[in-house]
Amino acid sequence: MNAAKPIRTRLALLAGISLLAAAPAMAESLVFTSWGGTTQQAQQKNWAQPFSAASGIAVAMDGPTDYGKFKAMVESGNVTWDVVDVEGDFAYRAAKDGLLEPLDQSKLKGIDPRFISANAVGSFYYSFVLGYNKQAVKGTAPAAWSDLFDLKRYPGKRTLYKWSAPGVLELALLADGVPASKLYPLDIDRAFKKLDTIKSQIVWWTGGAQSQQLLASGEASIGMFWNGRINALQHSGAPVGMSWKQNLTAADMLVIPKGSKNKAAAMQFLAYATSAEAQAKFATETGYAPVNLQSKTKMTPAAVKTLPDQFSASQINLDMRYWAEHRDEIAKRWYAWQTQ
């Protein structure tokens, strides 16, 4: 893991999540760190605020998640974060590197077995989807990752996730005709060759809020997005659409950094945030799928129909364990390619 390369940067703060927002004076407290924007706002509304009301434990919000900062905190012994929302591959690698506290499994009820381990529990289940601005795209709406690379039919800027992480290389290979069953190990040379064909037209997004701004404004007419970000734009009335064809799925995970000074409170928060009701409310608001197996019974049929797991016909699971082992070596080439 390259501590000097945070995967998502502080530009996510543009979304309106204040650093260490003031919490009411209570006997106990903890700091919850996530990615900012509409996602963290929903986590604050549906997890942190009702948890504080029920438990008397104040939850201060910080962000965005920064892996270099995370590692530096643990190595220095000066840990100020207590619960952190991270990507799945980071959770696997951080556990291997001894950066995480073990979780009390007895407090975590009803979790989908795919999203729980000794040191991490699911936050939410999401998909990367193809998104487009309806006013900027002319003619037939784009429907496949190959359309992202078709500059003739869909001219103009396209936006992709800037950081070395699961998603961009996979969609490039899919667009180039690689079968989903043959994605891993990734053919890095082939992926970059495909990306070279649109490199001059790429506008990079570093956080979810920025991706929303680029698409809603029409600065980028087409691109890759977290499904929840498109869902939020659609609810706001923005003229955007999305295609679920070959949507790329993964889960964010919640972890407790090694050396947390509020581990007991953090564990209580994890139990609440992953409960059936809290997950259902968050999923209903964001369009991200819940990790608790009982949550859908607490959601309306209309809300359930918008979740990533309802679009499984051509769905592809990103291999987070592969990325946990290879992210550093891929990152060296990824960042060098961006600056060439």
Side-chain angles (χ1 to χ4, degrees), residues 37 41 53 94 120 128 168 205 236 240-241 251 301 306 339:
Q41 289 168 1
F128 279 116
V168 179
W205 58 267
S236 73
V240 301
T306 68
T339 57

Side-chain angles (χ1 to χ4, degrees), residues 7-9 12 35-39 67 87 124-131 145 161-163 165-167 205-212 215 223-233 242 244 248-252 286-288 308 318 320 327:
I7 305 305
R8 301 172 185 167
T9 69
W35 301 105
T38 54
T39 297
Y67 296 151
E87 293 162 295
F124 56 86
Y125 183 47
Y126 64 90
S127 285
F128 279 116
V129 296
L130 180 72
W145 293 120
Y161 189 34
K162 181 176 181 178
W163 306 116
W205 58 267
T206 57
Q210 186 186 19
S211 74
Q212 290 171 303
L215 188 64
M224 66 177 294
F225 303 88
W226 293 312
N227 71 282
R229 299 295 179 160
I230 301 294
N231 181 74
L233 285 176
M242 64 176 151
W244 287 93
L248 304 171
T249 64
D252 265 23
T286 63
Y288 293 129
L318 294 168
M320 292 297 180
R327 191 171 197 163

Side-chain angles (χ1 to χ4, degrees), residues 16 21 32 81 92 120 122 133 158 184 200 233 254 258 264 267 276 287 291 331:
F32 173 63
W81 293 345
Y92 291 132
N133 185 301
R158 39 265 292 133
Y184 299 98
S200 65
L233 285 176
L254 299 172
K258 187 75 173 179
M267 197 62 237
V291 299

Side-chain angles (χ1 to χ4, degrees), residues 160-184:
L160 300 174
Y161 189 34
K162 181 176 181 178
W163 306 116
S164 171
V168 179
L169 296 178
E170 285 89 343
L171 71 82
L173 291 171
L174 290 167
D176 203 42
V178 175
S181 61
K182 303 293 185 181
L183 273 178
Y184 299 98

Side-chain angles (χ1 to χ4, degrees), residues 38 53 79 100 137 160 209 323 332:
T38 54
V79 178
L100 306 179
V137 168
L160 300 174
W323 274 90
K332 292 177 182 178

Side-chain angles (χ1 to χ4, degrees), residues 57-122:
I57 298 173
V59 179
M61 308 298 287
D62 201 357
T65 297
D66 180 320
Y67 296 151
K69 185 175 181 179
F70 187 113
K71 186 176 181 180
M73 280 185 183
V74 174
E75 291 179 343
S76 69
N78 185 28
V79 178
T80 58
W81 293 345
D82 300 301
V83 176
V84 186
D85 188 307
V86 301
E87 293 162 295
D89 61 318
F90 177 82
Y92 291 132
R93 187 58 185 263
K96 184 177 181 180
D97 291 346
L99 302 178
L100 306 179
E101 293 283 354
L103 303 185
D104 184 348
Q105 304 289 315
S106 68
K107 296 184 182 298
L108 303 172
K109 308 294 186 181
I111 309 301
D112 186 322
R114 295 177 297 169
F115 307 130
I116 187 168
S117 64
N119 302 90
V121 62

